[in-house]
Amino acid sequence: QVQLVESGGGLVQAGGSLRLSCAASGRTFSSMYVGWFRQAPGSVRDIVAGITWDGAYTDYADSVKGRFIISRDNSKNTVYLQMNSLKPEDTAVYYCAADDAPDRVRLRVPDYWGQGTQVTVSS
């Protein structure tokens, strides 16, 4: 089992920055693909960024490319999402998810989800 705990959310003005953290405990996290998702009220949960187990490859949704950066520190069992130039449309609950199989994360069926952290961007 892996437990994922997100933190770092909050209220920020448009143009500001936040860094989210996804801390893992339990079995080996460092071998897993990790994705960050977000879900706004009335919307589906969409992936915004993903990172391979070694950090060598990253993927981003078009809506966040150039503004968000995903990274990981396996020595700390933590994955980060640096969010810059935030916009009101980035407002959502942000979730991290992990699985040994990257496609399971991308298809929204990972073995492990965090509980989410709220990000609110004011205009």
Side-chain angles (χ1 to χ4, degrees), residues 17 25 38 58 60 80 89 94:
S17 298
S25 61
R38 67 186 181 188
T58 56
Y60 297 93
Y80 304 98
E89 52 263 43
Y94 283 71

Side-chain angles (χ1 to χ4, degrees), residues 49-67:
I51 188 166
T52 53
W53 68 272
D54 58 355
Y57 296 98
T58 56
D59 296 300
Y60 297 93
D62 287 344
S63 59
V64 306
K65 278 181 183 176
R67 301 189 297 122

Side-chain angles (χ1 to χ4, degrees), residues 52-103:
T52 53
W53 68 272
D54 58 355
Y57 296 98
T58 56
D59 296 300
Y60 297 93
D62 287 344
S63 59
V64 306
K65 278 181 183 176
R67 301 189 297 122
F68 290 11
I69 301 170
I70 189 171
S71 61
R72 68 190 299 161
D73 184 342
N74 285 338
S75 69
K76 296 181 179 178
N77 276 355
T78 302
V79 172
Y80 304 98
L81 186 68
Q82 178 67 42
M83 306 187 295
N84 301 318
S85 301
L86 283 161
K87 304 175 182 179
E89 52 263 43
D90 294 318
T91 295
V93 178
Y94 283 71
Y95 301 87
C96 64
D99 200 292
D100 288 322
D103 282 348

Side-chain angles (χ1 to χ4, degrees), residues 4 6 20 22 34-40 45-46 48-49 81 92-97 113-117:
L4 303 176
E6 301 94 337
L20 305 184
C22 172
V34 177
W36 280 100
F37 290 75
R38 67 186 181 188
Q39 187 169 21
R45 190 174 296 187
D46 283 329
V48 295
L81 186 68
V93 178
Y94 283 71
Y95 301 87
C96 64
W113 285 103
Q115 84 291 347
T117 185

Side-chain angles (χ1 to χ4, degrees), residues 96-118:
C96 64
D99 200 292
D100 288 322
D103 282 348
R104 289 181 57 84
V105 175
R106 296 181 184 121
L107 293 173
R108 305 188 190 95
V109 289
D111 281 343
Y112 307 106
W113 285 103
Q115 84 291 347
T117 185
Q118 175 71 46

